[in-house]
């Protein structure tokens, strides 16, 4: 098993990519801590993993809260013995009109999508350095790689994740810490379907296709289909495993050639 004996933290475990990553890590032998703000969804995901024979634990956490990150890291260290791998996955998405929408929306998404990733890395890397190393994968997005109307905020947070990832990889690689990012394309998750419905509502009175104004919300990739959360889990699992021991500081599109 790729992750035998490792302790891993997955944020946003309650659905979609986070749930798939936690499930895969448990199958690969990791002891998983899953966090979410939706306790019902989080507990359901963790219970499904344990019912399948994996080891998984749930800790409520708002990733933008430093106090919550202190609690998560303390649980990992005191109850499970450390932090070896981490997937900073939790995020929010909403469309943002750069000229009209209140700046409170900007602050909210920046807090969760970028500050939350920094806090997760900060607490994990501190321990990983002491323990002799570890591996982190942060979730960015193809929205970080090209400009899309009404996605300036979301894309900015995800571009920030890429630069943060690369900077941390350079800074802490000498101490044995690898940090990478993935850039998912159109993945079949509840977040994608919610975003598509919201975009359709925004542009319901306009003749132009939603994708032309609000961003790609359908299967606009060479494979002709949406990606699956399990395909994201495959990439994340490889990147935190020892098989990727010389890979650090990359941002990997997992997008069916959308950005090719």
């Amino acid at each position: 098993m790729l992750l035998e004996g490792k302790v891993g933290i997955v944020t946003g475990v309650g659905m979609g990519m986070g749930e798939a990553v936690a499930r895969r890590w448990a199958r690969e032998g990791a002891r998983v801590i899953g966090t979410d703000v939706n306790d019902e969804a989080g507990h359901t995901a963790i219970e499904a993993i344990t019912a399948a024979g994996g080891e998984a634990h749930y800790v409520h956490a708002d990733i933008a809260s430093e106090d919550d990150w202190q609690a998560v890291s303390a649980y990992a260290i005191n109850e499970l013995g450390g932090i070896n791998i981490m997937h900073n996955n939790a995020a929010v998405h909403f469309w943002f009109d750069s000229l009209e929408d209140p700046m409170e929306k900007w602050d909210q998404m920046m807090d969760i999508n970028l500050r939350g990733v920094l806090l997760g890395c900060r607490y994990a890397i501190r321990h990983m350095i002491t323990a002799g190393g570890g591996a982190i994968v942060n979730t960015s997005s193809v929205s970080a790689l090209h400009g899309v109307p009404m996605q300036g905020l979301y894309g900015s947070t995800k571009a920030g994740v890429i630069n943060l990832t690369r900077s941390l990889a350079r800074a802490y690689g000498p101490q044995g810490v690898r940090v990478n990012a993935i850039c998912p394309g159109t993945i079949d998750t509840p977040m994608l379907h919610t975003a598509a419905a919201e975009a359709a509502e925004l542009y319901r009175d306009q003749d132009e296709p939603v994708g032309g104004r609000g961003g790609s919300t359908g299967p606009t990739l060479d494979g002709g289909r949406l990606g699956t959360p399990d395909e994201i889990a495959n990439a994340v699992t490889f990147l935190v495993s020892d098989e990727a021991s010389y890979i650090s500081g990359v941002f990997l599109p997992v997008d069916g050639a959308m950005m090719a």
Side-chain angles (χ1 to χ4, degrees):
M1 292 188 285
L2 285 176
L3 307 178
E4 183 72 35
K6 295 185 184 294
V7 176
I9 297 173
V10 178
T11 67
V13 77
M15 65 179 186
M17 296 185 295
E19 188 276 333
V21 169
R23 179 163 30 85
R24 174 66 185 277
W25 283 11
R27 289 204 310 268
E28 295 290 349
R31 294 178 290 162
V32 179
I33 298 170
T35 78
D36 213 299
V37 292
N38 184 331
D39 291 334
E40 181 178 359
H43 279 297
T44 297
I46 295 300
E47 288 167 4
I49 292 170
T50 57
E55 181 177 348
H57 309 261
Y58 179 72
V59 179
H60 172 92
D62 173 357
I63 62 167
S65 165
E66 190 162 7
D67 288 343
D68 284 4
W69 269 116
Q70 288 175 340
V72 172
S73 60
Y75 184 92
I77 294 165
N78 297 333
E79 300 298 325
L80 299 181
I83 305 169
N84 306 115
I85 55 178
M86 170 179 280
H87 180 37
N88 284 307
N89 169 73
V92 295
H93 176 281
F94 43 78
W95 305 102
F96 182 78
D97 186 324
S98 297
L99 301 185
E100 301 296 336
D101 281 340
M103 289 305 297
E104 288 78 9
K105 294 181 69 175
W106 179 278
D107 295 338
Q108 178 189 356
M109 191 179 286
M110 282 288 178
D111 277 352
I112 296 170
N113 291 10
L114 190 52
R115 171 188 166 92
V117 172
L118 170 61
L119 287 174
C121 290
R122 173 179 288 188
Y123 280 93
I125 289 172
R126 285 171 175 168
H127 177 74
M128 288 174 179
I129 290 172
T130 301
I136 297 171
V137 174
N138 299 321
T139 297
S140 180
S141 169
V142 293
S143 294
L145 307 179
H146 65 146
V148 179
M150 298 290 285
Q151 286 266 46
L153 170 53
Y154 183 74
S156 293
T157 66
K158 294 303 187 176
V161 168
I162 288 176
N163 196 270
L164 175 63
T165 295
R166 300 175 77 183
S167 297
L168 294 174
R170 290 290 302 276
Y172 302 108
Q175 287 115 315
V177 179
R178 294 188 299 107
V179 191
N180 292 296
I182 57 166
C183 297
T186 49
I187 309 302
D188 191 2
T189 64
M191 180 181 285
L192 176 73
H193 292 291
T194 298
E198 291 171 349
E201 179 66 18
L202 281 171
Y203 299 112
R204 70 183 187 278
D205 296 326
Q206 300 184 24
D207 293 333
E208 187 174 355
V210 170
R213 292 291 302 274
S216 299
T217 55
T220 58
L221 59 164
D222 284 0
R225 64 173 177 85
L226 300 177
T228 70
D230 285 342
E231 289 172 315
I232 296 298
N234 292 341
V236 173
T237 301
F238 166 71
L239 287 172
V240 298
S241 76
D242 293 341
E243 293 191 353
S245 57
Y246 201 54
I247 300 174
S248 191
V250 306
F251 54 99
L252 175 67
V254 188
D255 66 354
M258 180 188 295
M259 293 288 101

